[in-house]
Amino acid sequence: MPVARFVKKSQPTNQETPTFKSRVRLDLIDCLTDILIAMAATRNVMRAVRVFEFGGPEVLKLQSNVLIPDPKENQVLIKVHACGVNPVETYIRSGNYARKPALPYTPGSDVAGVIESVGEHVTAFKKGDRVFTIDTISGGYADYAVAAANRVFPLPDKLDFRQGAAIGIPYFTAYRALVQKGRAKAGESVLVHGASGGVGIATCQIARAYGLKVLGTAGTEEGMNLVLRNGVHQVFNHREANYIDKIKVVGCRGPIEINPRDTMSKESSIIGVSLFLATEEERHACAAAVLAGVEAGWLSPAVGCGYALGRAAEAHADIIGGTGAAGKVVLLP
């Protein structure tokens, strides 16, 4: 005959009936888990200035949830420490330029920073390298930027990141205009109109180093003094009345009238320059000359105003409508 067995039910374990301390511990673990999940979700986003429509400086919008781009084959990802602001970027933003990027886009070509990661087949750079660029794929007004590896160059230790952001477009354009297109020779004279800006300072330094007599103009006393410290032999104030009686000036920000017969009597030449049209060989020649200038000591970018990333609209307004340039304008993420 079966014998009945009575089993006394055991007391609940801590897992079945959590104590107050264990409940607090579990709540803390849940909170930490949520925080880690949130951090992981935001780890792949960055701040970037975006343009959703062409127009005035106000169309530059700072976004904080832009995905960090991944470098593809022959590309690198750069942690941006500084990005140069160029007048051409204001023309593109306005929609009144021949080159119009697809909307939305992030402006910025002249990045200086540190390599974060590299894509396949990139052997010239590694994580941690200090670099500067002459172009970007994803846009430089951002915390991170992707660039083609052949548009990236090592940033010499002599220069800080602000100066690095003042090299690309200004110095490559100046070298292309003076040497590659203008074929300037030692002993010749050159006039640099608006010499106190990024390209102007670059042109003055290169021209002086190559043995030219350098004349420059600026619109403020500060700008004139800056130009004198950067290679010019003589400077003129282009805001003074009748200053063109002392020199002949041609600018690039507006239309001018030229009588072709006047060019004949002096065998003058008019040459348009676009860095966008430079060949790979010409770009590398620019880079070699620029890096040699840094090493020799005569190339030292002059940096003017620095703006936080959220003040990109103000930077665009000032670079065109300001009282006068005094060095390269940069954004600082």
Side-chain angles (χ1 to χ4, degrees), residues 1 6 8 20 154 238 260 263 275:
M1 179 177 180
F6 297 92
K8 184 178 179 181
F20 174 76
H238 57 228
T263 66
L275 185 59

Side-chain angles (χ1 to χ4, degrees), residues 22-34:
S22 65
R23 286 198 302 269
V24 171
R25 190 180 299 113
L26 290 171
D27 288 343
L28 286 173
I29 292 173
D30 288 341
C31 288
L32 287 172
T33 301
D34 290 342

Side-chain angles (χ1 to χ4, degrees), residues 47-51 56-63 83-86 89-90 93 106-108 140-142 306-320 329-333:
R47 297 174 306 147
V49 174
R50 303 288 282 164
V51 176
E58 69 279 358
V59 303
L60 297 169
K61 304 294 185 183
L62 180 63
Q63 306 286 305
C83 182
V85 180
N86 297 292
E89 289 150 18
T90 70
R93 182 218 68 229
T106 294
Y141 293 12
Y307 296 80
L309 199 57
R311 296 174 60 200
E314 184 179 345
H316 270 220
D318 289 349
I319 200 172
I320 294 299
V329 174
V330 297
L331 290 179
L332 304 170

Side-chain angles (χ1 to χ4, degrees), residues 33-43:
T33 301
D34 290 342
I35 291 172
L36 290 173
I37 292 173
M39 290 176 63
T42 59
R43 194 176 300 164

Side-chain angles (χ1 to χ4, degrees), residues 80-90 107-113 132-134 136 139-142 161-170 198 303-307 309 312 315-316 319 327-333:
V80 179
H81 286 252
C83 182
V85 180
N86 297 292
V88 68
E89 289 150 18
T90 70
S109 300
D110 294 339
V111 161
F132 73 92
T133 71
I134 61 169
T136 65
Y141 293 12
F161 289 116
R162 291 185 179 212
Q163 291 175 305
I167 297 177
I169 298 295
V303 179
C305 294
Y307 296 80
L309 199 57
H316 270 220
I319 200 172
K328 178 71 172 180
V329 174
V330 297
L331 290 179
L332 304 170

Side-chain angles (χ1 to χ4, degrees), residues 168-229:
I169 298 295
Y171 282 86
F172 280 53
T173 298
Y175 184 84
R176 181 162 174 77
L178 274 174
V179 180
Q180 293 180 339
K181 291 297 184 181
R183 305 190 185 282
K185 299 180 180 64
E188 295 180 335
S189 297
V190 61
L191 170 65
V192 185
H193 186 44
S196 60
V199 177
I201 292 295
T203 305
C204 292
Q205 290 180 357
I206 293 173
R208 183 65 178 255
Y210 278 63
L212 280 75
K213 180 180 179 181
V214 189
L215 309 177
T217 76
T220 66
E221 183 177 354
E222 179 186 9
M224 293 174 71
N225 290 332
L226 177 65
V227 168
L228 285 170
R229 295 195 301 269

